[in-house]
Amino acid sequence: MKPPSKNERIKMVKERICQPLNLDKLQTEKVTSAFNDFFVEMDKLVDRSVKPPVRPEKSKVDSLAKIRDEKVKHIMQESQFTKYLELELAGRPKGPEDGGPHPN
């Protein structure tokens, strides 16, 4: 199965994070920009030269997520950010370590 495009992922961010948090237009633009930056950097880390593509190291993903979350934190009210963290965690793809499908 082909992974979603960056535009599809941005649409999911709007539907799964921005709408449930009732973010205004400016907040939505800033949050989607932070996620866009995150997706661009994540795409650089994925080794697509092999089938199936190799997922990047967890430490690198966590580092990018921390940068993204710091950006998002400054956009939202504290109560929104707390809810954001819950929504973001729930929306993460499940890997084998989280009970999801194994890549092999």
Side-chain angles (χ1 to χ4, degrees):
M1 184 164 76
K2 184 179 172 192
S5 70
K6 187 175 61 165
N7 287 340
E8 290 168 329
R9 290 181 279 175
I10 291 294
K11 183 180 176 190
M12 285 188 269
V13 168
K14 289 179 181 178
E15 292 171 354
R16 296 180 183 174
I17 293 175
C18 298
Q19 290 175 0
L21 292 174
N22 296 315
L23 300 183
D24 64 29
K25 185 177 180 179
L26 184 58
Q27 287 175 309
T28 298
E29 288 173 4
K30 289 180 178 183
V31 168
T32 56
S33 176
F35 269 87
N36 183 65
D37 294 347
F38 172 77
F39 294 145
V40 167
E41 294 304 314
M42 278 292 296
D43 286 346
K44 291 178 185 177
L45 294 178
V46 176
D47 182 358
R48 298 195 190 287
S49 66
V50 295
K51 298 288 181 193
V54 177
R55 294 177 75 174
E57 294 175 31
K58 185 174 179 352
S59 62
K60 291 180 180 180
V61 174
D62 290 346
S63 177
L64 289 176
K66 185 175 181 180
I67 292 167
R68 177 203 61 212
D69 291 347
E70 276 301 311
K71 291 177 184 177
V72 170
K73 185 176 186 176
H74 296 291
I75 298 166
M76 300 178 180
Q77 299 171 9
E78 189 175 336
S79 61
Q80 287 176 315
F81 184 70
T82 301
K83 182 67 177 170
Y84 156 79
L85 291 174
E86 294 171 13
L87 293 169
E88 196 281 323
L89 184 62
R92 287 185 188 175
K94 302 289 187 253
E97 65 277 2
D98 302 319
H102 196 276
N104 294 343

